[in-house]
Amino acid sequence: MAWVVAVVLFVEALGIALLNWFLGVIVDHQHMSLAGLDPNAMSVSSKAGGVVFGLYFGLCGLVALLVGVRDRSPAGLGRILLISVAVVHGLLGAFAWGLVGRSAFLFMMGVLGLIVLLLMTYDRREGPADAVDADGDPKGNGDPKGDGDSVSPGPAPVTPPAPSTP
């Protein structure tokens, strides 16, 4: 799952960077202006925005790749990045519905679903669910450190009652 999300985010990073770069080149070649803005400033800002968003999506893809390699939940900044990229995809999907069409919306919602699934699949399991290993035995055998070095005494042995004599 994490590998798929990583590949999708890397492809999106490249795609968004190239799209914004291409738009910046078109604005520069045609000397377009929007509400009196300098065409050179528009071109440079489009290219810079493409690079920034490309790096952002690439960094989020790297976090997803690390989740896949380590096979554990992202923590700290990585988790924040994955949550933020999910929010960005939700917003992009809402804008895409009105500006581009249903297909772009469905693509954004698909990526959003993959990111949320990644976050939910690799969610930290703490408490009773983590206290049992694959064999069904308690991890650490009562050891508070969980390293399995100490063994709990277990239940007291049951002695049968003495037979009564009449």
Side-chain angles (χ1 to χ4, degrees):
M1 167 57 65
W3 298 93
V4 173
V5 173
V7 168
V8 167
L9 287 174
F10 286 139
V11 168
E12 271 190 321
L14 184 63
I16 198 81
L18 289 176
L19 177 68
N20 279 306
W21 194 272
F22 176 70
L23 290 175
V25 168
I26 289 196
V27 167
D28 193 30
H29 285 309
Q30 294 189 358
H31 303 291
M32 293 179 178
S33 178
L34 180 66
L37 292 175
D38 181 32
N40 189 35
M42 289 178 55
S43 173
V44 170
S45 62
S46 177
K47 291 175 184 177
V51 169
V52 168
F53 273 109
L55 289 175
Y56 170 68
F57 284 140
L59 184 62
C60 294
L62 180 65
V63 169
L65 184 67
L66 289 175
V67 167
V69 168
R70 295 177 182 167
D71 196 28
R72 64 176 195 204
S73 173
L77 182 63
R79 188 165 187 84
I80 291 170
L81 281 172
L82 287 177
I83 291 170
S84 70
V85 82
V87 170
V88 166
H89 276 85
L91 291 172
L92 286 175
F95 288 124
W97 178 273
L99 297 175
V100 181
R102 290 184 188 133
S103 59
F105 171 77
L106 291 175
F107 174 76
M108 287 296 159
M109 292 302 106
V111 176
L112 171 66
L114 285 173
I115 295 168
V116 170
L117 189 60
L118 170 72
L119 287 167
M120 297 296 288
T121 303
Y122 287 95
D123 197 13
R124 293 184 186 175
R125 289 177 226 117
E126 297 175 2
D130 197 25
V132 178
D133 63 12
D135 298 330
D137 297 330
K139 286 186 178 179
N141 296 324
D143 182 17
K145 292 187 281 184
D147 57 4
D149 289 341
S150 66
V151 178
S152 64
V158 177
T159 56
S164 62
T165 56

